[in-house]
Amino acid sequence: MDRTTTAAAVAAVLAVATLGLAPHQARAATPPAEQTEQAGQAGQASGITFHDIPGSGGITLKGNVWTPAGAAPGRTYPLIVLPTSWAMPQIEYVAQAKQLADSGYVVVSYTSRGFWLSGGQIEVAGPPDVADVSAVIDWALARTPADPARIGVGGVSYGAGISLQAAGQDHRIKAVVALSGWADLIESIYSGRTQHLQAAGLLGVSGALTGRPGPELRQVLGDFLASRLDKEDEMIAWGRLRSPAAQVDRINAGGAAVMLGNAWGDTIFPPNQYAAFYERLTGPKRLEFRPGDHATAEGLGLFGLPDDTWTNARRWFDHHLGGVANGIDREQPVQLKSRTSDGYEGYPDWKSVGAAGTEKLALNDSEHLWANVDSGANGGVLLLSAALDQFVKAPPTASVPLLPRAFAAVWQSERYDAARRIRGTVTLHTTVTPTHGDGTFVAYLYDVGPLGIGKLVSNAPYTFHGKAPGQAFGVDLELFSTAYDVPAGHRLALVIDTVDPLYIEHNPTGAQLTFSSPRADPSYLSVPLREQ
């Protein structure tokens, strides 16, 4: 689920070396959180030790512990537990853990079970992973000056999913920071009932290279990639067991303060499922969306560089574990950063995003296309395309006038005389008539400039099975949520084709699709807007 590269591991090791740290080396520590500034001015530093930590079921987890300097006998400090991301070793959080410890926290990070030198098999945030979090908390309370009343968990990607799952099972957890994670595993890599090929492939390959996938994971992943529809119910049940959204009531009952962060272009865990989960939380909560792809929004912070995501994560822990009056509780809880402009926008809740008005684009013209051919419109490359959008404002593009109309359906708005500030989730309502019972199509929304070059605003796949050939049926499809400003003089274009390298398609050879707009049920694209 995270990129697993030698470069990342080497960089993390270099970060440890730069900090002058060695295994089993403890240093004089800093005072508690409320004295952080004075400690920093005094030049004191926290220390790290490496440990074998008993996990659930008798396995051993490889972990490290950061402790505040000068911890007085009998004094306790807030505890933060950080499970590692998919395929990452225990040094992943070394830079952020040090900063937290310098602020007066006990921080325990460990390699998730089944990866690297930790024992067990990869469970994909299943019950053993959740039990590991509680086991690590137990160990930390017995072996470190951790305060049992002030416990937080957090992490990136896989660590985020495990942390949210743990908050539903262990109500000692009072605060959670879940970055680039998932709330609904099915809606993440099987949205629109379409297998997200590159995402699942990366999961399988990186897991096999850095860990030990168990037989259940190998079976489920094999069935998923092989499109075993006879196994679909089993795969969905397996994913639901690993989805925090399925136990949101337990999370709410525990009352943990939950901060969620993700990127608009996350090609592994799209933002929609996080936003829906956020709305169901009833305790203290915060939702942040920024430009980027999977884990790129917080990636710089993992190397100790300035990072808004990690800054707010520390503020979240400071307030909800340390009682620091830093104002984060008084800010609008939903914070969004547009892909095309700087600065953040605050909203009282997700429902208020795009609530200023909705523009409906009528899709009046009937469009007919042949399947099985990539028209040139696509969602980009996993992890790369949205990262380019984040750092150099270069999303995937297509020349809309040159798209072959035999393989791409195209509808365009008029040119806008004023900018359109898209915020939230664009939805498509249309009628489809297939020549075969099974099929897949992908919808793309483009910002089209004067020369016809379209910049990708959003996309989403849709797959159907068992339909009657030649009979029309209605489709309602949510595109992946976004925040994007369309300049004046540009227009929006909806493009639909049937092949995208990001997804597995289910179109039989020779299949054709017709998109129409019956008078009794007109087709349209609904675009949520923010006030100008």
Side-chain angles (χ1 to χ4, degrees):
M1 298 174 189
D2 285 291
R3 279 174 288 185
T4 308
T5 63
T6 302
V10 170
V13 172
L14 290 176
V16 176
T18 301
L19 293 170
L21 307 171
H24 307 295
Q25 177 183 9
R27 299 182 176 180
T30 54
E34 60 269 19
Q35 301 177 28
T36 300
E37 294 183 4
Q38 292 88 335
Q41 293 168 0
Q44 296 176 334
S46 53
I48 184 175
T49 55
F50 292 79
H51 300 270
D52 288 344
I53 302 175
S56 66
I59 72 160
T60 297
L61 301 169
K62 295 295 182 177
N64 57 66
V65 177
W66 288 84
T67 54
R75 181 136 193 194
T76 59
Y77 302 85
L79 168 67
I80 296 177
V81 175
L82 302 173
T84 58
S85 303
W86 183 269
M88 294 297 287
Q90 67 190 70
I91 57 174
E92 175 186 10
Y93 301 113
V94 63
Q96 290 302 320
K98 182 181 188 301
Q99 292 188 46
L100 286 164
D102 286 345
S103 298
Y105 292 92
V106 173
V107 184
V108 181
S109 176
Y110 67 92
T111 303
S112 299
R113 69 164 51 220
F115 289 104
W116 297 92
L117 297 179
S118 282
Q121 298 177 325
I122 301 172
E123 299 288 347
V124 195
D129 287 303
V130 178
D132 283 344
V133 175
S134 294
V136 171
I137 292 173
D138 292 341
W139 181 89
L141 293 177
R143 299 293 189 92
T144 73
D147 185 346
R150 295 184 291 169
I151 298 174
V153 296
V156 176
S157 185
Y158 193 49
I162 292 174
S163 295
L164 287 171
Q165 290 279 82
Q169 298 295 324
D170 193 330
H171 290 171
R172 293 175 297 179
I173 296 169
K174 303 305 179 186
V176 181
V177 170
L179 307 176
S180 290
W182 75 91
D184 189 324
L185 194 57
I186 300 301
E187 285 303 309
S188 293
I189 62 174
Y190 197 34
S191 67
R193 288 300 179 266
T194 307
Q195 296 100 321
H196 293 213
L197 173 63
Q198 292 184 16
L202 178 63
L203 162 67
V205 171
S206 59
L209 289 174
T210 62
R212 298 169 299 282
E216 184 179 32
L217 172 58
R218 291 196 297 269
Q219 181 67 50
V220 169
L221 190 59
D223 292 341
F224 183 81
L225 293 174
S227 302
R228 288 285 305 273
L229 295 180
D230 59 317
K231 298 286 188 178
E232 184 178 51
D233 289 344
E234 295 176 25
M235 290 187 288
I236 290 175
W238 180 87
R240 185 173 293 114
L241 179 64
R242 291 157 172 80
S243 296
Q247 58 168 313
V248 67
D249 291 342
R250 290 182 176 180
I251 296 173
N252 289 335
V258 178
M259 173 180 160
L260 306 172
N262 204 355
W264 293 120
D266 195 318
T267 44
I268 297 180
F269 302 131
N272 303 46
Q273 46 90 34
Y274 240 18
F277 175 68
Y278 171 84
E279 286 293 273
R280 296 176 62 196
L281 293 171
T282 58
K285 57 184 179 178
R286 183 179 177 92
L287 176 67
E288 299 182 355
F289 283 139
R290 299 177 178 84
D293 207 313
H294 186 64
T296 63
E298 53 272 355
L300 294 177
L302 291 176
F303 297 105
L305 299 175
D307 187 296
D308 291 350
T309 304
W310 283 106
T311 295
N312 287 338
R314 292 193 298 273
R315 292 176 64 218
W316 190 253
F317 282 136
D318 285 346
H319 180 73
H320 291 285
L321 297 182
V324 178
N326 53 22
I328 197 167
D329 57 317
R330 297 190 299 274
E331 297 173 358
Q332 295 275 42
V334 175
Q335 293 287 322
L336 311 181
K337 188 173 185 179
S338 170
R339 291 167 47 202
T340 49
S341 59
D342 295 326
Y344 288 87
E345 303 167 357
Y347 299 85
D349 50 40
W350 178 250
K351 295 188 296 293
S352 299
V353 176
T358 299
E359 184 169 274
K360 280 192 175 183
L361 305 180
L363 309 177
N364 294 325
D365 298 332
S366 179
E367 294 280 347
H368 179 86
L369 65 152
W370 292 80
N372 307 115
V373 176
D374 190 344
S375 70
N378 63 70
V381 178
L382 184 84
L383 301 178
L384 175 62
S385 297
L388 291 174
D389 184 34
Q390 174 187 357
F391 294 112
V392 295
K393 298 290 193 293
T397 59
S399 176
V400 175
L402 297 181
L403 291 174
R405 294 309 197 261
F407 310 115
V410 180
W411 298 264
Q412 295 192 76
S413 71
E414 299 295 327
R415 294 192 185 278
Y416 294 123
D417 56 4
R420 295 294 193 275
R421 303 172 70 184
I422 300 173
R423 298 293 185 274
T425 307
V426 175
T427 57
L428 167 65
H429 176 74
T430 189
T431 296
V432 182
T433 305
T435 58
H436 292 69
D438 300 339
T440 297
F441 66 86
V442 185
Y444 309 91
L445 182 63
Y446 286 101
D447 161 24
V448 183
L451 298 180
I453 301 300
K455 295 182 178 181
L456 186 65
V457 177
S458 185
N459 77 100
Y462 184 88
T463 293
F464 57 89
H465 295 289
K467 299 295 184 181
Q471 292 190 15
F473 63 93
V475 171
D476 289 288
L477 176 63
E478 288 189 347
L479 277 61
F480 300 138
S481 302
T482 193
Y484 186 98
D485 299 338
V486 181
H490 287 212
R491 67 177 75 197
L492 285 174
L494 173 69
V495 177
I496 295 178
D497 72 2
T498 61
V499 176
D500 190 308
L502 286 173
Y503 311 113
I504 292 178
E505 53 93 5
H506 296 263
N507 298 297
T509 301
Q512 303 171 50
L513 299 175
T514 299
F515 296 87
S516 59
S517 183
R519 180 174 299 179
D521 186 19
S523 296
Y524 61 85
L525 191 72
S526 179
V527 182
L529 302 174
R530 176 181 168 88
E531 292 181 354
Q532 300 298 321

